[in-house]
Amino acid sequence: MSLRAGIVLFPGTNRERDMAIALAKVSGGREPVMIWHKETSLPPLDLIVLPGGFSHGDYLRCGAMAAQSPVMRAVRDFAEAGGHVLGVCNGFQILTEAGMLPGALLRNAGLRFLGQDHSMRVEQTDSIYTSGYAQGQIIRVVLAHGDGNYFADTATLDRLEGEGQVAFRYASPSGEVSDATNPNGSQRGIAGIISANRRVLGLMPHPEDYVDPLMGGEDGLPMFAGIVQGLAA
Amino acid sequence: MKAIVTVMLKPGVLDPQGRAIGHALETLGFDGIGDVRAGKIIELELAETDAGKAKAAAEAMADKLLANTVIESYRVEVV
Amino acid sequence: MSARPVSEKLAREFGLNAEEWGRVQTIMGRMPSFTELGIFSVMWSEHCSYKSSRIWLKELPTKAEWVVHGPGENAGVVDIGDGLTAIFKMESHNHPSFIEPYQGAATGVGGILRDVFTMGARPIANLNALRFGRPENPRTKRVVDGVVRGIGGYGNCVGVPTVGGEVNFHAAYDGNPLVNAMTVGIAPKDRIFLSAAAGIGNQVVYVGSKTGRDGIHGATMASAEFDANSEEKRPTVQVGDPFTEKLLIEACLELMGTDAIVAIQDMGAAGLTSSSVEMAGKGGVGIQLDLDSVPQRETGMSAYEMMLSESQERMLIVLRPGAEEIARAIFEKWDLDFAVIGHITDTGRIVVRHKGVTEADIPLGPLADEAPLYRRPIQWPVPLPVLDNATITCTMPTDQALLQLVASPDLCSRAWIASQYDPAVGGQTVKKPGQADAAIVKIEGSNRALAITTDCTPRYCQADPKMGGMQAVAEAWRNITATGARPLAITDNMNFGNPEKPEIMGQFAAAIQGMAEACIALDFPVVSGNVSLYNETEGKGILPTPAIGGLGVIEDAHVARGIAIEPHQDLVLIGETAGWLGQSLFLREIMGREEGAPPPVNLVAERRNGDFVRHQIAKGCVHACHDVSDGGLLVALAEMALAGNCGLALDELNTAHATHAFLFGEDQSRYVIAAKDASGLLEEARTAGIPACLLGRTGGNELTFPGGSSVSLADLKEAHERFFKTWMS
């Protein structure tokens, strides 16, 4: 059982090692393939990850230029053929800019970068990313973003809610979701959303930074264990 | 030619930066400030010499990259 | 800036005094050109030449078995085992941060990162040491906000975690904040890159960003006092681009994986001038530069402007013969400029050509060897007299005094600052800010971790510069020790006032003496550093601030201890308590007095207590450990309680000292240890002759003090977090 994962590197990507460590941990030490953003074709893969960072400096808009990278055509084709794509933080921003997930990520409401722990509530469990959690489970994750304020129009938000596409919501450690537990102004406290076919997930927090108790927690581990279980059969 | 692309958040999209600017201006003693919106201006030097074609080109660029039409609207001016 | 006629008047404008100007003419044997005068003036500025401080810096110990490269390289290098080295340095960006806080701080981070990766190290941690003016000063808030955003804006984007730092507020920094940034990197011991150029005919290559007119004469500005017109100096502040820096890190490290590089140096202060002069000078060779090939962002730049520009994110590399294509391909891959701009010669001179004209031709030997070196007049400081505790009568109840102290700007929670920095990127941060006395960052693929801290107590340094210097080094050593790590070496960032004033030079020299004594006693040598002088505004100097960046190593990151307590543990105090109130925060914040001598550091006790604590941690006898510093014992305990969200109860005191002196005195060389059962530890301490006593037990939701008063965790937390929330809202 081993997962064939690829991590896309854009100029300015900086959380590729964090992601590689998390994926290797659940794949018997197998390191994911690193894919340069100028590539136009992909090796055979089970999962593509768009990791965190500041692609192209996050100039213009976060993720906007990365979304136009040559590799994104291949990533889109991969997803359209039913492939699994995970976008974390900058990766989530790139997925929305590329139109692969609805909505957009705006500047944090407090206008400051947030580098801190936060809790989020698991809102659905019917995907490889979330099957390792219980519905409503509260997990602790690392936030590290300046533009994580999720926005979509009301119709889109209603559709996401109706289709069970809201994957994670910011919460208090005891599980309440309110304005007070919303760190960045995201609409309806949304921290992550998933595509209708449950294969493309984007989220702002970093589950990959909590896969080892030594680093302060392992609430992110079930996501990666779930991915391996779901894909490396 | 030069194309000036102005990108603004669409009405209805919360603009915390604009709000903060408004708040700061009030703190400085400026009264009577209504809604404040912050956007960006992108100036493009274009080789194109036909104003109409330059405008069309700049609009295509805005559509494709310079603005995210989910949240932003844009206006192109050619000078 | 177009060329102007060279004269003594111009030389003075450029910061050279009459004697220095005379020496320039002697070396050249003719009237120097405009560009040559520019080169001399920046190379001989305080910032580049260390002309006032060099003579004293020699007194610092720089050697130990584990030191691979001491001062003199871009950064210090120490052996951390497993064939790896840690490469680190701290550097100031004080003046730019006052003029334009965001860019000043951001480019400070960028500059120190380059000093570290230029030696072949991947940066794994950033820290900072910040001093700001009084919060009541309307300007302070803007400076704090800008500096914090700047540090975060740069560090977060380049993907290096910001894992620690310290912040103080004092009126002496009202017009002159201090922004000291530290970077730590890791490199294999056999892959360290130095800056000495070699190989006659080898190509000199310029990589990174294009050159513009930014920051011209930044190095001479950093060597001049501020005056009321400082605001007008704004255009000389450089603008940083962390995105390009990130690309530059990756491209340089990729190139370093090949054997293309002979020597490499970042273009920091005085840009192309200092990098080319230092590289050729260190290698004992000559260098010829052809400025027509320099990538330029602006049109019509003169030789003078290009040589003195401080545009950021640029490096100079001497390549091995035949390596040009490999190198070019790597920099093109990363979308960075790459240009061959010169070659190494055997002339021992720097020759600068531009548009067919020789703009500069200077012998490198005299430029370096005859750089001014001053033994400035000194007035040795007279330490303030020891404060008589009998003059301090405190009527404030313990609980109230504690709440007031933890709410004060110097002791309150730094979460507002820390949360604007990314502490976790890289996935190796074991202890984040506030979780341990030193940040703990693991080395990927190994169990080994580094313990890193920045320390200085400027009010101690003001009262007694020698003791203050000693204390700064001792506290860095103590903070590393409290995590269980073995302290290895320090970098120092000496921030002082105008060295032409004998009393300032006296502060500097005394601080060095104190630091040197501590470094020797604790086997904790200086491996790199930076000096920032002329930190004055309109004649008023800052507090002497020798900021220390300390680094240690721990073989197994799992052994590293934090400060958070858990219920059902014994609390033990290690070290002697005399109730020293002079220069304490209790004295300042509660009694409204800034008086007396600072607490003395007994280096023998320091070493003995610290070695004992480290040994107990290694044996697994310690759950949490925190050194006792600013605010004294009770503040240390409160911080442990807050970190663990766990209360504690103190036993009645068995001491001859007044309660407030015992609880809030700032006696040195002390630690609080939390352990499941401390009886064995206490017994061992007794046998070893280490002062140790049981303070009480952990548990519950409140802190209970001798005499029975108490504070709830919730109230303590509210007080601790109040300052920044209110101030910055």
Side-chain angles (χ1 to χ4, degrees), chain C residues 519-535:
Chain C
C519 290
I520 291 165
L522 303 173
D523 277 328
F524 203 30
V526 179
V527 295
S528 61
N530 169 244
V531 177
S532 170
L533 300 174
Y534 297 96
N535 288 290

PDB file of all heavy atoms in Angstrom, chain C residues 519-535:
ATOM      1  N   CYS C 519      31.073  34.934  29.065  1.00  0.00           N
ATOM      2  CA  CYS C 519      31.332  33.990  27.962  1.00  0.00           C
ATOM      3  C   CYS C 519      32.400  32.971  28.376  1.00  0.00           C
ATOM      4  O   CYS C 519      32.282  31.777  28.087  1.00  0.00           O
ATOM      5  CB  CYS C 519      31.812  34.727  26.713  1.00  0.00           C
ATOM      6  SG  CYS C 519      30.546  35.714  25.921  1.00  0.00           S
ATOM      7  N   ILE C 520      33.426  33.451  29.064  1.00  0.00           N
ATOM      8  CA  ILE C 520      34.513  32.556  29.483  1.00  0.00           C
ATOM      9  C   ILE C 520      34.015  31.592  30.555  1.00  0.00           C
ATOM     10  O   ILE C 520      34.196  30.381  30.461  1.00  0.00           O
ATOM     11  CB  ILE C 520      35.718  33.385  29.978  1.00  0.00           C
ATOM     12  CG1 ILE C 520      36.356  34.122  28.795  1.00  0.00           C
ATOM     13  CG2 ILE C 520      36.749  32.485  30.672  1.00  0.00           C
ATOM     14  CD1 ILE C 520      37.316  35.234  29.182  1.00  0.00           C
ATOM     15  N   ALA C 521      33.346  32.130  31.561  1.00  0.00           N
ATOM     16  CA  ALA C 521      32.901  31.280  32.678  1.00  0.00           C
ATOM     17  C   ALA C 521      31.900  30.227  32.226  1.00  0.00           C
ATOM     18  O   ALA C 521      31.816  29.144  32.817  1.00  0.00           O
ATOM     19  CB  ALA C 521      32.293  32.151  33.766  1.00  0.00           C
ATOM     20  N   LEU C 522      31.124  30.550  31.197  1.00  0.00           N
ATOM     21  CA  LEU C 522      30.052  29.637  30.785  1.00  0.00           C
ATOM     22  C   LEU C 522      30.399  28.861  29.504  1.00  0.00           C
ATOM     23  O   LEU C 522      29.549  28.146  28.977  1.00  0.00           O
ATOM     24  CB  LEU C 522      28.758  30.441  30.571  1.00  0.00           C
ATOM     25  CG  LEU C 522      28.279  31.246  31.793  1.00  0.00           C
ATOM     26  CD1 LEU C 522      27.098  32.147  31.438  1.00  0.00           C
ATOM     27  CD2 LEU C 522      27.910  30.311  32.944  1.00  0.00           C
ATOM     28  N   ASP C 523      31.636  28.987  29.016  1.00  0.00           N
ATOM     29  CA  ASP C 523      32.042  28.328  27.762  1.00  0.00           C
ATOM     30  C   ASP C 523      31.061  28.645  26.650  1.00  0.00           C
ATOM     31  O   ASP C 523      30.503  27.750  26.002  1.00  0.00           O
ATOM     32  CB  ASP C 523      32.101  26.798  27.932  1.00  0.00           C
ATOM     33  CG  ASP C 523      33.408  26.375  28.550  1.00  0.00           C
ATOM     34  OD1 ASP C 523      34.424  27.044  28.293  1.00  0.00           O
ATOM     35  OD2 ASP C 523      33.397  25.385  29.305  1.00  0.00           O
ATOM     36  N   PHE C 524      30.822  29.903  26.439  1.00  0.00           N
ATOM     37  CA  PHE C 524      29.720  30.357  25.587  1.00  0.00           C
ATOM     38  C   PHE C 524      30.267  31.482  24.705  1.00  0.00           C
ATOM     39  O   PHE C 524      29.931  32.650  24.889  1.00  0.00           O
ATOM     40  CB  PHE C 524      28.635  30.865  26.547  1.00  0.00           C
ATOM     41  CG  PHE C 524      27.228  30.883  26.023  1.00  0.00           C
ATOM     42  CD1 PHE C 524      26.776  29.978  25.088  1.00  0.00           C
ATOM     43  CD2 PHE C 524      26.323  31.813  26.536  1.00  0.00           C
ATOM     44  CE1 PHE C 524      25.454  30.010  24.657  1.00  0.00           C
ATOM     45  CE2 PHE C 524      25.009  31.851  26.110  1.00  0.00           C
ATOM     46  CZ  PHE C 524      24.576  30.939  25.167  1.00  0.00           C
ATOM     47  N   PRO C 525      31.146  31.123  23.732  1.00  0.00           N
ATOM     48  CA  PRO C 525      31.858  32.153  22.987  1.00  0.00           C
ATOM     49  C   PRO C 525      30.980  32.933  22.002  1.00  0.00           C
ATOM     50  O   PRO C 525      29.891  32.488  21.645  1.00  0.00           O
ATOM     51  CB  PRO C 525      32.911  31.360  22.216  1.00  0.00           C
ATOM     52  CG  PRO C 525      32.317  30.010  22.064  1.00  0.00           C
ATOM     53  CD  PRO C 525      31.510  29.762  23.312  1.00  0.00           C
ATOM     54  N   VAL C 526      31.495  34.069  21.573  1.00  0.00           N
ATOM     55  CA  VAL C 526      30.833  34.907  20.567  1.00  0.00           C
ATOM     56  C   VAL C 526      31.313  34.452  19.189  1.00  0.00           C
ATOM     57  O   VAL C 526      32.523  34.430  18.940  1.00  0.00           O
ATOM     58  CB  VAL C 526      31.214  36.389  20.762  1.00  0.00           C
ATOM     59  CG1 VAL C 526      30.539  37.252  19.706  1.00  0.00           C
ATOM     60  CG2 VAL C 526      30.839  36.864  22.163  1.00  0.00           C
ATOM     61  N   VAL C 527      30.381  34.106  18.296  1.00  0.00           N
ATOM     62  CA  VAL C 527      30.813  33.660  16.964  1.00  0.00           C
ATOM     63  C   VAL C 527      30.424  34.621  15.850  1.00  0.00           C
ATOM     64  O   VAL C 527      30.876  34.474  14.717  1.00  0.00           O
ATOM     65  CB  VAL C 527      30.297  32.244  16.640  1.00  0.00           C
ATOM     66  CG1 VAL C 527      30.928  31.230  17.585  1.00  0.00           C
ATOM     67  CG2 VAL C 527      28.788  32.168  16.697  1.00  0.00           C
ATOM     68  N   SER C 528      29.590  35.584  16.161  1.00  0.00           N
ATOM     69  CA  SER C 528      29.246  36.587  15.153  1.00  0.00           C
ATOM     70  C   SER C 528      28.614  37.760  15.872  1.00  0.00           C
ATOM     71  O   SER C 528      28.284  37.650  17.051  1.00  0.00           O
ATOM     72  CB  SER C 528      28.266  36.020  14.111  1.00  0.00           C
ATOM     73  OG  SER C 528      27.071  35.616  14.748  1.00  0.00           O
ATOM     74  N   GLY C 529      28.470  38.861  15.163  1.00  0.00           N
ATOM     75  CA  GLY C 529      27.864  40.003  15.824  1.00  0.00           C
ATOM     76  C   GLY C 529      27.799  41.216  14.946  1.00  0.00           C
ATOM     77  O   GLY C 529      28.224  41.215  13.787  1.00  0.00           O
ATOM     78  N   ASN C 530      27.262  42.259  15.519  1.00  0.00           N
ATOM     79  CA  ASN C 530      27.017  43.483  14.777  1.00  0.00           C
ATOM     80  C   ASN C 530      27.032  44.621  15.794  1.00  0.00           C
ATOM     81  O   ASN C 530      26.651  44.430  16.942  1.00  0.00           O
ATOM     82  CB  ASN C 530      25.644  43.345  14.090  1.00  0.00           C
ATOM     83  CG  ASN C 530      25.133  44.638  13.501  1.00  0.00           C
ATOM     84  OD1 ASN C 530      24.111  45.162  13.934  1.00  0.00           O
ATOM     85  ND2 ASN C 530      25.822  45.169  12.512  1.00  0.00           N
ATOM     86  N   VAL C 531      27.529  45.776  15.366  1.00  0.00           N
ATOM     87  CA  VAL C 531      27.575  46.928  16.260  1.00  0.00           C
ATOM     88  C   VAL C 531      26.761  48.057  15.640  1.00  0.00           C
ATOM     89  O   VAL C 531      26.917  48.365  14.463  1.00  0.00           O
ATOM     90  CB  VAL C 531      29.026  47.406  16.477  1.00  0.00           C
ATOM     91  CG1 VAL C 531      29.047  48.657  17.355  1.00  0.00           C
ATOM     92  CG2 VAL C 531      29.868  46.299  17.100  1.00  0.00           C
ATOM     93  N   SER C 532      25.881  48.620  16.422  1.00  0.00           N
ATOM     94  CA  SER C 532      25.096  49.766  15.974  1.00  0.00           C
ATOM     95  C   SER C 532      25.327  50.911  16.946  1.00  0.00           C
ATOM     96  O   SER C 532      24.911  50.830  18.099  1.00  0.00           O
ATOM     97  CB  SER C 532      23.616  49.386  15.918  1.00  0.00           C
ATOM     98  OG  SER C 532      22.824  50.529  15.704  1.00  0.00           O
ATOM     99  N   LEU C 533      26.020  51.939  16.462  1.00  0.00           N
ATOM    100  CA  LEU C 533      26.319  53.092  17.323  1.00  0.00           C
ATOM    101  C   LEU C 533      25.509  54.303  16.856  1.00  0.00           C
ATOM    102  O   LEU C 533      24.739  54.204  15.916  1.00  0.00           O
ATOM    103  CB  LEU C 533      27.815  53.378  17.296  1.00  0.00           C
ATOM    104  CG  LEU C 533      28.682  52.209  17.784  1.00  0.00           C
ATOM    105  CD1 LEU C 533      30.163  52.513  17.602  1.00  0.00           C
ATOM    106  CD2 LEU C 533      28.397  51.867  19.238  1.00  0.00           C
ATOM    107  N   TYR C 534      25.684  55.385  17.528  1.00  0.00           N
ATOM    108  CA  TYR C 534      24.957  56.630  17.217  1.00  0.00           C
ATOM    109  C   TYR C 534      23.450  56.468  17.372  1.00  0.00           C
ATOM    110  O   TYR C 534      22.677  57.090  16.658  1.00  0.00           O
ATOM    111  CB  TYR C 534      25.298  57.129  15.812  1.00  0.00           C
ATOM    112  CG  TYR C 534      26.759  57.500  15.633  1.00  0.00           C
ATOM    113  CD1 TYR C 534      27.664  56.588  15.101  1.00  0.00           C
ATOM    114  CD2 TYR C 534      27.230  58.748  16.016  1.00  0.00           C
ATOM    115  CE1 TYR C 534      29.003  56.908  14.950  1.00  0.00           C
ATOM    116  CE2 TYR C 534      28.561  59.075  15.871  1.00  0.00           C
ATOM    117  CZ  TYR C 534      29.454  58.161  15.332  1.00  0.00           C
ATOM    118  OH  TYR C 534      30.770  58.491  15.186  1.00  0.00           O
ATOM    119  N   ASN C 535      23.032  55.584  18.285  1.00  0.00           N
ATOM    120  CA  ASN C 535      21.596  55.459  18.533  1.00  0.00           C
ATOM    121  C   ASN C 535      21.173  56.548  19.503  1.00  0.00           C
ATOM    122  O   ASN C 535      21.016  56.328  20.707  1.00  0.00           O
ATOM    123  CB  ASN C 535      21.277  54.079  19.105  1.00  0.00           C
ATOM    124  CG  ASN C 535      21.407  52.992  18.056  1.00  0.00           C
ATOM    125  OD1 ASN C 535      20.603  52.912  17.132  1.00  0.00           O
ATOM    126  ND2 ASN C 535      22.436  52.177  18.174  1.00  0.00           N
TER     127      ASN C 535
END
